[in-house]
């Protein structure tokens, strides 16, 4: 019996299996012109999942409109899936299967529409270390029942379903039908339309979601139990709340503890940014056998109910922030992904401030500051792949899109003031200054668009600011010199940088304008001087550079 079990386990795909090609690993980047011309109107996706075999049998019905004439329809789909048949508008269609793609050999005139139905099946790639790489995560509960999930942010949606693997490739609507073994549940994106029970005891879960992010569509399957309720929004609408968790000893109490964070977190975001974008669907969170991911209206949570000194669950909060900064607002290109991660990271110290005041805000910001690497620019103003953004070995900024992005926003808020900062953020997220439930929809935006919004709101061209923090790796360096009773300050930033700075002289704070990147002030000979005493400006710190170098040396021992 043991030998049979071992043989069965060896036959199943393990982490990293089956391998995926270089093409499948690419998400984003420059796309074929024919794919650029496809407007994705609807995805109807059916998944029949067999965890015992780690196999998926699936059908995708995709509706496209052509914004320009195309000779063929290039769709992204991992080559580990076998495509049995393809039809266009109900008629059989010819197709090619170049590496990592499904090319449907069917022309479309400008303005024409086509519904492409694809029957496919296979063994999806198993993630090595989700969610930092992608694929299926096959697991079991403590009592041996199947528990699994998918993540696709890094390698892209094409490792699960046929899609347009680019940030702008999201469908206007997605309908999901997920069939799972008896006793399991499949919470997913959007609104639950119903659950069908099949003659053999399996169930099919039907969901519908508005304009889901390309990597937001996710499978989450397990013997879940549910905590639910509703939230009366400050905007007058009622929002359903759901948390699906894995049962076990003490699990209910822990689940209810996390669920208790939903309402105050919602209140913070709605007051600070604006209406929850998917209030007509749900706030959904599901416990997963991986750390987490911002799957639209069904955020993955795997933080183990960890406690933290700030008194709230950072992972839940971070992924929930992405409902505004990733799912409502979606970056137009991977090069703009700091808009997701920088804003989501900054929301955490802001929430700490909301809950406990300035001291908590400062402590949380300081923790982020010590992680900024400054090895590469955050924005390169060109079409990039996910790997070119996230991987330093490929020239990417890595986690600086989180922490440096957050600190840049902290500095911007200090420069332009709260009213202008939150007005600009609201316009970025919703495309308007007066969002109310029903008067906005998910949208795309870019770094340049945000710069334009800030210029519109403030009446100031802050290109020098964004260039310094986003398009140059090195931080601005504030050089000071004291001569007698005068102190001179000068910014070295690789370009113009008229950033004002506060200086405390014997405890009295004054603001130095630095109009041309330089400033002077009178300082008595024996006065104690502290530059930027409230840490309002992100700038070079030789102490942090030495600390990070020491950390690297310690890891190498």
């Amino acid at each position: 019996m043991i030998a049979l079990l071992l043989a069965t386990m060896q036959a199943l795909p393990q982490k990293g299996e089956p391998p995926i090609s270089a093409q499948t690993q690419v998400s984003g980047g420059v796309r074929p012109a024919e794919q650029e011309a496809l407007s994705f109107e609807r995805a109807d996706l059916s998944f029949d999942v067999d965890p015992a075999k780690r196999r998926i049998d699936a059908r995708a019905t995709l509706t496209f409109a052509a914004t320009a004439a195309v000779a063929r329809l290039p769709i992204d789909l991992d080559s580990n899936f076998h495509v049995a048949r393809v039809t266009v508008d109900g008629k059989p269609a010819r197709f090619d299967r170049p590496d990592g793609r499904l090319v449907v050999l069917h022309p479309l005139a400008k303005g024409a529409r086509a519904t492409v139905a694809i029957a496919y099946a296979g063994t999806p790639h198993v993630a090595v270390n989700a969610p930092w790489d992608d694929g299926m995560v096959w697991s079991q509960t403590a009592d041996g029942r199947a528990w699994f999930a998918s993540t696709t942010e890094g390698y892209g949606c094409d490792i699960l379903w046929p899609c347009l693997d680019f940030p702008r490739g999201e469908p206007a609507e997605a309908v999901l039908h997920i069939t799972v073994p008896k006793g399991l549940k499949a919470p997913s994106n959007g609104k639950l339309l119903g659950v069908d029970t099949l003659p053999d005891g399996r169930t099919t879960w039907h969901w519908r979601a508005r304009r889901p992010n390309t990597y937001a569509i996710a499978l989450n399957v397990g013997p879940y139990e549910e905590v639910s309720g509703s939230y009366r929004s400050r905007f007058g609408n009622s929002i359903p709340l759901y948390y699906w968790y894995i049962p076990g000893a003490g699990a209910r109490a822990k689940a209810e503890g996390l669920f208790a964070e939903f309402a105050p977190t919602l209140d913070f975001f709605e007051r600070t940014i604006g209406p929850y974008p998917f209030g007509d669907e749900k706030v959904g969170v599901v416990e997963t056998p991986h750390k987490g991911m911002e799957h639209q209206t069904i955020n993955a949570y795997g933080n183990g109910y960890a406690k933290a000194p700030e008194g709230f669950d950072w992972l839940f909060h971070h992924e929930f922030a992405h409902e505004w900064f990733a799912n409502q607002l979606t970056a137009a290109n991977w090069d703009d992904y700091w808009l997701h991660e920088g804003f989501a990271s900054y929301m955490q110290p802001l929430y700490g401030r909301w809950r406990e005041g300035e001291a908590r805000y400062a402590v949380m910001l300081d923790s982020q500051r010590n992680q900024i690497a400054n090895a590469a620019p955050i924005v390169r103003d060109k079409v990039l792949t996910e790997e070119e953004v996230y991987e330093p070995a490929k020239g990417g900024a890595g986690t600086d899109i989180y922490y440096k992005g957050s600190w840049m926003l902290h500095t911007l808020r200090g420069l332009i003031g709260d009213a202008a900062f939150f007005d600009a953020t609201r316009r970025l997220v919703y495309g308007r200054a007066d969002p109310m439930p029903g008067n906005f929809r998910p949208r795309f935006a870019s770094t340049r668009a945000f710069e334009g919004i800030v210029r519109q709101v403030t009446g100031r061209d802050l290109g020098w600011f964004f260039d310094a923090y986003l398009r140059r790796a090195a931080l601005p360096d504030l050089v000071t010199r004291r001569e007698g009773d005068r102190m001179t300050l000068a910014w070295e930033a690789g370009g113009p940088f008229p950033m004002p700075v506060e200086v405390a002289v014997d405890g009295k704070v004054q603001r130095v304008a630095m109009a041309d990147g330089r400033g002077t002030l009178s300082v008595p000979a024996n006065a104690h001087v502290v530059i930027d005493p409230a840490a309002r400006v992100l700038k070079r710190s030789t102490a942090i550079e030495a600390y990070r170098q020491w950390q690297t040396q310690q890891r190498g021992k």
Side-chain angles (χ1 to χ4, degrees):
M1 181 66 180
I2 294 177
L4 178 61
L5 179 60
L6 289 173
T8 301
M9 290 179 62
Q10 290 172 355
L12 293 174
Q14 301 303 304
K15 290 182 177 181
E17 298 175 347
I20 56 177
S21 67
Q23 174 59 42
T24 296
Q25 289 184 46
V26 171
S27 180
V30 177
R31 295 191 288 165
E34 292 145 317
Q35 192 179 91
E36 290 270 11
L38 296 180
S39 174
F40 200 169
E41 296 186 341
R42 192 171 192 268
D44 191 300
L45 307 174
S46 297
F47 301 100
D48 189 339
V49 189
D50 186 347
K53 296 180 180 178
R54 299 190 173 178
R55 177 182 171 86
I56 292 177
D57 287 275
R59 179 181 174 87
T61 303
L62 316 175
T63 302
F64 299 110
T67 60
V70 297
R72 56 184 191 160
L73 311 176
I75 299 168
D76 297 302
L77 181 63
D78 183 17
S79 296
N80 286 314
F81 291 114
H82 169 70
V83 175
R85 64 184 179 278
V86 175
T87 64
V88 176
D89 296 330
K91 298 178 181 179
R94 294 184 303 115
F95 60 91
D96 287 336
R97 285 289 274 141
D99 180 30
R101 286 212 163 99
L102 166 66
V103 178
V104 181
L105 304 176
H106 182 88
L108 274 184
K110 181 179 179 180
R113 284 176 169 75
T115 297
V116 182
I118 303 161
Y120 68 102
T123 301
H125 175 75
V126 181
V128 175
N129 185 29
W132 294 277
D133 68 2
D134 291 301
M136 296 298 298
V137 182
W138 302 103
S139 186
Q140 288 186 333
T141 60
D143 58 3
R145 290 183 287 178
W147 179 28
F148 59 91
S150 66
T151 71
T152 68
E153 181 188 34
Y155 297 155
C157 46
D158 51 333
I159 61 173
L160 184 62
W161 58 283
C163 63
L164 307 183
D165 186 14
F166 190 87
R168 282 185 175 272
E170 60 187 42
E173 178 185 63
V175 180
L176 311 176
H177 317 275
I178 306 168
T179 300
V180 297
K182 182 179 180 180
L184 302 182
K185 298 178 180 179
S188 195
N189 309 93
K191 187 172 184 177
L192 182 64
L193 303 179
V195 182
D196 296 332
T197 301
L198 306 181
D200 61 1
R202 293 181 301 152
T203 53
T204 301
W205 296 67
H206 306 280
W207 299 89
R208 182 174 60 221
R210 285 185 294 111
R211 197 170 287 281
N213 195 303
T214 53
Y215 62 82
I217 291 175
L219 299 177
N220 306 280
V221 178
Y224 288 113
E225 292 184 1
E226 175 189 304
V227 183
S228 62
S230 63
Y231 170 78
R232 187 67 178 175
S233 166
R234 63 177 53 253
F235 293 96
N237 57 320
S238 184
I239 303 172
L241 312 176
Y242 295 93
Y243 176 47
W244 287 272
Y245 69 95
I246 295 296
R252 181 76 185 189
K254 293 177 181 177
E256 289 176 344
L258 182 67
F259 186 75
E261 295 192 30
F262 285 25
T265 309
L266 253 174
D267 190 45
F268 161 73
F269 276 104
E270 290 208 319
R271 180 183 284 271
T272 305
I273 307 301
Y276 174 64
F278 307 101
D280 57 334
E281 295 181 353
K282 68 177 184 302
V283 169
V285 179
V286 59
E287 188 175 2
T288 53
H290 63 84
K291 193 71 171 180
M293 183 55 65
E294 64 267 21
H295 297 145
Q296 189 168 308
T297 70
I298 190 66
N299 286 329
Y301 173 83
N303 202 32
Y305 308 103
K307 299 301 179 185
E310 59 266 21
F312 62 92
D313 193 299
W314 74 266
L315 185 88
F316 159 70
H317 189 280
H318 180 82
E319 305 304 353
F320 190 54
H322 282 309
E323 296 287 21
W324 284 262
F325 304 102
N327 299 334
Q328 165 59 30
L329 160 73
T330 301
N333 166 21
W334 279 101
D335 189 39
D336 303 307
Y337 247 61
W338 76 273
L339 293 173
H340 293 196
E341 302 297 357
F343 271 101
S345 297
Y346 188 48
M347 290 301 110
Q348 299 215 314
L350 282 178
Y351 188 49
R353 177 174 175 261
W354 167 275
R355 288 164 52 89
E356 297 183 80
E358 296 295 342
R360 180 62 66 192
Y361 175 79
V363 167
M364 294 179 72
L365 267 177
D366 187 62
S367 176
Q368 293 182 355
R369 177 64 184 89
N370 298 335
Q371 300 179 69
I372 298 174
N374 303 309
I378 291 177
V379 172
R380 285 180 272 173
D381 288 319
K382 61 182 180 180
V383 177
L384 297 177
T385 68
E386 185 271 351
E387 291 175 306
E388 290 171 329
V389 172
Y390 274 92
E391 296 185 18
K394 295 183 180 293
T399 56
D400 273 8
I401 66 174
Y402 295 76
Y403 307 123
K404 190 174 182 178
S406 175
W407 259 84
M408 184 275 285
L409 293 170
H410 161 71
T411 305
L412 178 64
R413 178 175 153 248
L415 177 64
I416 67 177
D418 279 13
F421 177 81
F422 289 110
D423 185 12
T425 301
R426 199 165 294 115
R427 291 170 186 265
L428 172 72
V429 171
Y430 300 100
R432 58 190 302 158
D434 59 344
M436 292 290 290
N439 75 355
F440 61 88
R441 62 181 183 176
R443 65 190 301 267
F444 299 103
S446 65
T447 302
R448 292 291 184 185
F450 181 56
E451 293 180 45
I453 291 170
V454 171
R455 184 167 55 250
Q456 175 190 357
V457 168
T458 64
R460 300 162 62 186
D461 184 351
L462 298 180
W464 57 268
F465 175 92
F466 293 105
D467 286 346
Y469 288 119
L470 297 179
R471 298 182 178 88
R472 288 193 282 272
L475 286 175
D477 189 9
L478 185 59
V479 178
T480 64
R481 187 174 65 229
R482 290 178 69 166
E483 294 180 348
D485 63 353
R486 303 293 292 173
M487 173 174 276
T488 301
L489 301 91
W491 284 111
E492 294 181 358
F497 195 69
M499 171 66 72
V501 63
E502 292 178 343
V503 179
V505 180
D506 282 338
K508 184 177 181 180
V509 178
Q510 54 186 299
R511 188 173 184 268
V512 183
M514 308 290 287
D516 60 353
R518 298 176 62 85
T520 59
L521 68 159
S522 179
V523 177
N526 295 320
H528 176 62
V529 177
V530 179
I531 306 296
D532 190 23
R536 300 189 192 281
V537 180
L538 177 59
K539 58 188 178 300
R540 184 187 179 200
S541 166
T542 56
I544 292 176
E545 289 174 1
Y547 169 68
R548 288 185 59 85
Q549 184 179 16
W550 174 82
Q551 281 186 314
T552 301
Q553 292 169 349
Q554 295 302 304
R555 286 193 293 267
K557 288 183 177 179

